[in-house]
Amino acid sequence: MAKVFASQRLPGDALERLGLHCELEVWPEPTPIPPGVLAERLQGCVGLVCLLTNRVGRDLLAACPDLRFVSSMSVGVDHVAVAALTERRIPLGNTPGVLADTTADLNMALLLAAARRIPEADRYVRDGCWKPERPWYPGMFVGKDISGATLGIVGLGEIGQAVARRARGFGMRLLGWTRSGRAVEGVESVSLEAVLAQSDFVSVNVALSKDTRMLIDAEAIAGMKPGAVLVNTARGGIVDEQALAQALQSGALFAAGIDVFEREPVLMDNPLLQLPNVVVAPHIGSASQRTREQMAALAVDNMIAALRGERMPHCVNPEVFD
Ligand code: GLV
């Protein structure tokens, strides 16, 4: 039987299903498998089911000559050297279609929390600052209005469109920019510069690639509307964190909601963590029970199809099948 390695236990019963089709070994620890150990465990394996915390680079491929299929339980694949896989005709599976709504929910949660200063207010109450000597007053935790504000969406793929649907319900005007020039109903398509200059809220929803790395750099941040709020649930490498922190500290921007960081886990000396007007989360965009189980199921469906000699249902580099 073909050997497959899964770099972590997955939610639901997906791996049990996979185990019926191959000789499956699963990394038992909750922490990511160290890269050197991954290469060792992959010896003799034709398949790897991985997570976004596993770097699948040229070095790993070179060390694992038997590897023929890779399936990642993620929609983003910036942790994988896709070109190197394609050169070796290794299909790479991912998990689109199931996490857009869940991630868009978190996007809106961060947008609302940043606009209405929820974490600051939460700390204020818990720290006992709200007391008879300091009762309610009209200027207490005044934030930004959502309804009537302009939301600029950078990237109008599945998640960007799901954010647009939600924002419409909140009465926001929508601007959007996408590399493909895709038109989305109800979203006015403008240049990236116009999105940044005209939006009260900017939502980053593009995939990370060499074209989008540092797309929102210091110059782009300087071009944002004064007092705007930036939300990023896409990938850390898209936004210049130092420049963002400076803009938030100087008051040029009002607040930010950040679920993803250039380096994950984020380092405690990251300047964004020092700022009260930044709401953070540890890359939990797709973290709902149903969505995570669906992602695991799709990752396993991709691997089972590959083991049967079929095309993966969700393949990032389908040209390998031609
Ligand atoms: C999450 O960030 C994913 O790419 O699935």
Side-chain angles (χ1 to χ4, degrees):
M1 236 182 179
K3 280 175 69 179
V4 172
F5 185 77
S7 66
Q8 209 158 92
R9 292 198 192 100
L10 301 185
D13 62 359
L15 288 181
E16 282 162 34
R17 222 161 29 84
L18 179 58
L20 303 176
H21 298 262
C22 60
E23 189 184 320
L24 179 64
E25 191 192 344
V26 183
W27 178 245
E29 309 296 335
T31 46
I33 183 166
V37 183
L38 177 59
E40 270 168 36
R41 296 293 174 98
L42 279 175
Q43 297 311 305
C45 290
V46 296
L48 167 64
V49 178
C50 66
L51 304 178
L52 53 78
T53 45
N54 306 122
R55 214 182 64 78
V56 181
R58 284 187 183 273
D59 46 347
L60 184 76
L61 295 184
C64 304
D66 303 311
L67 196 62
R68 286 168 45 211
F69 320 116
V70 177
S71 178
S72 182
M73 191 191 115
S74 64
V75 74
V77 291
D78 46 287
H79 54 298
V80 181
V82 183
L85 261 67
T86 307
E87 278 163 32
R88 278 187 50 185
R89 304 187 73 76
I90 296 177
L92 169 63
N94 73 337
T95 61
V98 293
L99 53 70
D101 282 323
T102 308
T103 305
D105 287 345
L106 185 84
N107 210 100
M108 291 309 287
L110 290 177
L111 186 153
L112 294 167
R116 298 300 303 274
R117 305 173 59 185
I118 305 285
E120 274 180 89
D122 180 280
R123 277 191 296 270
Y124 183 85
V125 175
R126 287 175 199 274
D127 290 350
C129 302
W130 192 31
K131 45 192 176 190
E133 313 83 276
R134 275 207 267 177
W136 185 94
Y137 64 101
M140 195 176 185
F141 290 105
V142 166
K144 278 177 80 83
D145 271 309
I146 311 289
S147 78
T150 298
L151 171 66
I153 305 177
V154 177
L156 287 164
E158 281 187 332
I159 298 173
Q161 292 179 44
V163 169
R165 287 195 295 277
R166 284 156 176 73
R168 227 172 274 136
F170 277 92
M172 302 184 94
R173 171 185 168 232
L174 301 177
L175 299 178
W177 173 83
T178 178
R179 278 172 301 156
S180 65
R182 169 189 288 138
V184 171
E185 209 190 316
V187 181
E188 189 186 337
S189 187
V190 296
S191 67
L192 179 59
E193 291 68 29
V195 164
L196 298 174
Q198 295 174 27
S199 300
D200 303 295
F201 294 85
V202 170
S203 176
V204 178
N205 300 109
V206 277
L208 175 62
S209 69
K210 63 177 181 357
D211 299 330
T212 60
R213 179 163 286 286
M214 291 295 139
L215 182 70
I216 311 296
D217 60 8
E219 196 185 333
I221 290 169
M224 285 177 69
K225 186 170 175 176
V229 171
L230 183 126
V231 177
N232 186 6
T233 58
R235 281 294 185 272
I238 300 164
V239 176
D240 181 333
E241 292 173 350
Q242 302 290 330
L244 177 63
Q246 275 167 19
L248 288 161
Q249 190 156 29
S250 72
L253 297 184
F254 180 76
I258 305 291
D259 183 44
V260 285
F261 294 86
E262 167 89 62
R263 176 161 173 179
E264 295 181 2
V266 65
L267 296 179
M268 291 313 290
D269 64 358
N270 184 309
L272 290 170
L273 300 189
Q274 318 309 321
L275 299 172
N277 50 346
V278 179
V279 186
V280 291
H283 201 146
I284 57 169
S286 63
S288 75
Q289 189 169 347
R290 184 188 66 191
T291 295
R292 287 282 161 86
E293 286 183 10
Q294 287 176 334
M295 291 170 73
L298 285 190
V300 159
D301 290 346
N302 283 331
M303 186 53 71
I304 292 174
L307 289 167
R308 286 181 169 151
E310 297 164 7
R311 292 172 87 95
M312 288 181 171
H314 299 286
C315 186
V316 172
N317 54 350
E319 61 273 27
V320 300
F321 295 114
D322 297 337

